[in-house]
Amino acid sequence: MGVLNICFEFSTETSGFFDYSDYKSVYESFYKPLGQFLYAHEEFKFTFYFSGSQLEFFKQKNPEFLEILKNLSNRKQIEILGGGYYHPVFPLLFPLDRTGQIELLSSTIRKIVGKRPRGVMLCASAWDPSLVTSFETCGVDFVQLDSSLIQKEKKLFLPLIISDRGKSLKVLSLHKEFVPEENETPEGFIQRLKKAVDKIVKNDEENPDADRVVVIPFNKATIKRLLNEKLVKEFLELLKTKYADSIKLELPYNCVKNSENFVQTYIHAGITEEIAKWSIEPYKQIEIKPNTSINVYDFMQTYKRSQALYNRMIFVSLLVNQCKGDKMRKKTAREYLWAAQTGDAYVYPTSGALLSSQERQKAFKKLTEAELLVRECEDFHESILNYDYNCDGLNEYLCRMEKFNVCINRRGGAIFELDVMKKSSNYADNMSRVMPLDKCNDNYEKGIFVDHLFEPEEYSRYIKGLPCKNGVFSNNVYKEVMFNSTKREICLETKSHFPSLDQAISIRKKYIINSNGIMVQYILKNLSPISIKAKFVVESNFAQLDFKKEVFDSYKIDVVNNGQIEEKTSQNLEFMKNVDAFQLTDLDNNVVFTFEPNEMANLVSYPITLMRSKIDASGLQPAGRTLSLSLAWDVDLACNMEMEKTINLTIISSKRKKA
């Protein structure tokens, strides 16, 4: 074997969204001491990856750190990797957005250190073979991928080379398994590393004398092991004396540039093993079998809220790319779009909860801002579109109004996206409760205008917020009866069986969309020869947009009860009889939702806090909050009889907040 090149590198799982408090804490805890350490140890070579948002923070708050990076780069001690400016999941983006984000980060790094990055880091090692062309177009020489994506027989500790339609790209694999262990001595670390490499080299008859390379990535949990002054001096002394001819510290690009031995391979679409384990069953960690390829699309199909954000992002991408008119507005819209593509909102960092709503809501807000700018560039007209919005094989209904966007799903016949066009997030971004994390299983997607038909016993559990059986209609696929884009009317229908006596019943649901809101008309019909007595419930769920708040106090509920207005809390379960109407106010964004049924109804409201595992499986933490509000009526239908109910939802968005 030739020389063993060791490449140490560090990156943090910070959000792609600009947050001074988060970045300041990370800088003080990690980057500041790391910069001081490297400046004092010139022989210690090191590699960094920064997102564009991190560099923007350093520029505004800690410009001295950028000067340190420039000095370290000039003396060829460090390498800064490139990638996407907002650390996106590249396989999810259109080629135009891929190259745009790469060029933006590359130009930012060049301005700081005077040289363009030659390699790229991928969010969660999310890989797809189509990226070869995009990276080659941007002048990228190599990409770093988690070793779990590499075929076992190709793990030779040599640079890899992959090709796609005549274009090639070099690959270095990241070996997290070689991160120094707690209390491990420098000699013990070197021996463990040499033993693993020697075992592979012994069976590599084609390249017995080739130099090998091991890239070892550190994160916030492990980097402090590298900053022990005593251990570092001991490690460097070993490299100067005992291992002077066999091991050295090196930078990744030098390893690629100086190598004459490359392993030809093909890498299937994949994602880092830490996330792949969660991608097979929802909220359950499963060991990945060898030669099993799990990619980011598997993850999103398992977690519907991540898929919903992706669908929204793709739609806004199309709007921005097709936009004609004011070039400055279009440029700004594209910047908002890129910010919304941050990987933390789609595939979640190892330090956070699986499927946390915090980053997702920020992304929805950026997408709304991008769409608003596109509308200003064009002559916008309100419209209703009927097409397969989420690529599930069924057509959805996208209603683009001046004040809001609404998307209606045929599965459940409910609204699963509600964007108020006031730079706010998606109010219908709700997660469903699952056992055992939330001690309850909803068995349906929570949205707005979700339909249930309960037996009296189940209804009594439902109004207490307790687990209950499926509400007959809530998980049905509704069929289209009528769609009129001119009148802005959508009529859906489904049939089911009431469980007590297996009685056939149908529901017809008509949406009438107007500039100020939505009217929903229901017609329940008993198709069985026996009368049906039940409770008809229409459930609407509103997500907490600002998840950083520890208390669910974002909403205020005003109820009109027998002509009197009563204010109710959104922090506890409330049950009210004979409600004429109620008004829900988003206090943070000053958006008001008014629900007016045509007949008095019972109203039940209660907050839901959803607990989710951390990706490292170290415990549970809150990942989302939802306010559930339901209107309920008694149902007493004889054979072939019908019952009609109507709910009018008005959406008011004020420019000024109330005092």
Side-chain angles (χ1 to χ4, degrees), residues 176-375:
K176 298 175 184 175
E177 68 271 21
F178 294 132
V179 171
E181 297 174 354
E182 199 77 43
N183 302 321
E184 187 175 34
T185 65
E187 179 67 35
F189 163 72
I190 292 174
Q191 288 300 322
R192 178 166 64 91
L193 182 59
K194 274 183 60 64
K195 183 179 179 180
V197 175
D198 288 341
K199 183 178 178 181
I200 296 297
V201 172
K202 184 170 60 176
N203 299 319
D204 185 12
E205 298 178 356
E206 292 185 14
N207 310 287
D209 300 321
D211 291 349
R212 307 289 162 161
V213 55
V214 178
V215 183
I216 303 176
F218 289 82
N219 57 26
K220 290 188 288 188
T222 57
I223 189 63
K224 289 186 178 179
R225 301 175 197 172
L226 199 67
L227 299 182
N228 186 306
E229 188 79 18
K230 179 181 177 182
L231 295 179
V232 167
K233 287 183 177 180
E234 184 180 341
F235 175 71
L236 292 174
E237 187 62 30
L238 286 170
L239 296 188
K240 288 179 182 178
T241 56
K242 186 175 181 180
Y243 301 102
D245 298 327
S246 58
I247 300 177
K248 69 175 182 177
L249 288 177
E250 192 53 277
L251 301 177
Y253 178 58
N254 290 339
C255 295
V256 172
K257 181 178 64 174
N258 298 328
S259 178
E260 295 181 350
N261 304 89
F262 297 96
V263 180
Q264 286 186 308
T265 187
Y266 177 82
I267 301 176
H268 296 275
I271 200 165
T272 183
E273 189 175 15
E274 286 88 345
I275 295 175
K277 290 178 180 180
W278 296 96
S279 302
I280 299 174
E281 292 187 27
Y283 311 109
K284 187 174 182 181
Q285 197 174 38
I286 295 176
E287 288 299 320
I288 305 299
K289 296 180 180 179
N291 299 321
T292 301
S293 179
I294 304 295
N295 57 53
V296 66
Y297 293 101
D298 295 312
F299 181 91
M300 291 197 303
Q301 288 168 9
T302 301
Y303 301 101
K304 300 300 182 184
R305 297 320 310 163
S306 185
Q307 178 78 42
L309 175 59
Y310 168 70
N311 296 331
R312 171 76 172 142
M313 185 270 289
I314 288 295
F315 178 77
V316 175
S317 295
L318 292 171
L319 291 180
V320 173
N321 291 335
Q322 296 171 5
C323 175
K324 297 178 182 179
D326 190 325
K327 291 184 178 180
M328 289 304 298
R329 280 193 173 94
K330 181 176 180 178
K331 182 178 180 232
T332 307
R334 190 177 297 282
E335 290 172 358
Y336 282 132
L337 168 64
W338 287 351
Q341 293 170 344
T342 177
D344 293 349
Y346 302 82
V347 181
Y348 304 96
T350 54
S351 59
L354 189 69
L355 215 69
S356 174
S357 68
Q358 179 177 333
E359 301 302 316
R360 198 169 58 250
Q361 288 287 5
K362 292 178 182 177
F364 273 119
K365 183 175 181 179
K366 292 292 182 183
L367 292 172
T368 300
E369 292 173 330
E371 183 175 350
L372 279 170
L373 285 168
V374 171
R375 290 184 176 188

Side-chain angles (χ1 to χ4, degrees), residues 67-114:
E67 284 298 317
I68 291 175
L69 292 179
K70 184 177 181 180
N71 291 335
L72 294 174
S73 178
N74 287 339
R75 65 191 196 186
K76 299 181 180 180
Q77 184 181 350
I78 67 165
E79 178 178 346
I80 300 179
L81 297 171
Y85 190 88
Y86 291 99
H87 202 37
V89 182
F90 277 116
L92 302 182
L93 310 187
F94 288 118
L96 182 62
D97 294 326
R98 293 175 185 172
T99 55
Q101 290 229 33
I102 292 171
E103 289 297 332
L104 183 58
L105 182 58
S106 296
S107 62
T108 302
I109 294 173
R110 187 178 65 246
K111 290 175 183 177
I112 293 171
V113 299

Side-chain angles (χ1 to χ4, degrees), residues 437-551:
L437 303 178
D438 303 308
K439 300 179 181 179
C440 177
N441 222 341
D442 285 318
N443 294 319
Y444 62 93
E445 291 294 318
K446 283 190 170 291
I448 298 172
F449 295 121
V450 180
D451 313 324
H452 301 285
L453 194 66
F454 289 120
E455 295 182 27
E457 295 80 9
E458 287 298 313
Y459 175 71
S460 64
R461 294 179 59 82
Y462 177 83
I463 63 176
K464 295 176 184 177
L466 299 174
C468 56
K469 296 177 183 177
N470 191 310
V472 179
F473 301 120
S474 56
N475 209 26
N476 281 16
V477 175
Y478 284 62
K479 72 175 184 179
E480 181 184 298
V481 176
M482 182 270 295
F483 170 71
N484 190 320
S485 59
T486 304
K487 293 183 178 180
R488 301 174 187 168
E489 295 181 359
I490 304 161
C491 189
L492 307 173
E493 185 180 49
T494 189
K495 296 178 181 178
S496 192
H497 287 80
F498 195 56
S500 58
L501 297 173
D502 195 30
Q503 298 156 285
I505 189 168
S506 71
I507 184 171
R508 181 168 289 198
K509 186 174 187 178
K510 186 176 183 180
Y511 284 95
I512 303 172
I513 316 295
N514 59 68
S515 299
N516 296 315
I518 307 161
M519 187 177 78
V520 185
Q521 180 190 57
Y522 292 95
I523 298 179
L524 279 169
K525 185 175 182 180
N526 182 5
L527 303 177
S528 71
I530 308 172
S531 64
I532 291 178
K533 292 187 177 181
K535 295 285 187 178
F536 177 53
V537 176
V538 178
E539 174 186 323
S540 295
N541 301 278
F542 287 82
Q544 180 176 354
L545 304 188
D546 183 5
F547 184 62
K548 277 199 168 183
K549 289 187 173 183
E550 295 182 0
V551 181

Side-chain angles (χ1 to χ4, degrees), residues 102-169:
I102 292 171
E103 289 297 332
L104 183 58
L105 182 58
S106 296
S107 62
T108 302
I109 294 173
R110 187 178 65 246
K111 290 175 183 177
I112 293 171
V113 299
K115 61 180 69 174
R116 183 184 180 88
R118 310 308 302 180
V120 296
M121 173 79 77
L122 302 186
C123 175
S125 280
W127 169 255
D128 187 89
S130 66
L131 294 176
V132 173
T133 302
S134 295
F135 290 160
E136 199 272 346
T137 301
C138 295
V140 173
D141 288 314
F142 70 95
V143 63
Q144 297 193 151
L145 295 177
D146 190 85
S147 60
S148 62
L149 274 68
I150 314 300
Q151 297 176 26
K152 184 178 180 181
E153 58 274 16
K154 302 292 185 179
K155 294 181 180 180
L156 303 176
F157 300 106
L158 288 171
L160 309 171
I161 188 165
I162 53 180
S163 61
D164 180 58
R165 290 168 290 184
K167 297 180 179 179
S168 63
L169 179 70

Side-chain angles (χ1 to χ4, degrees), residues 627-643:
L627 179 61
S628 181
L629 304 116
S630 300
L631 292 168
W633 297 269
D634 291 323
V635 175
D636 189 354
L637 288 176
C639 173
N640 287 324
M641 295 301 291
E642 295 180 345
M643 181 184 80

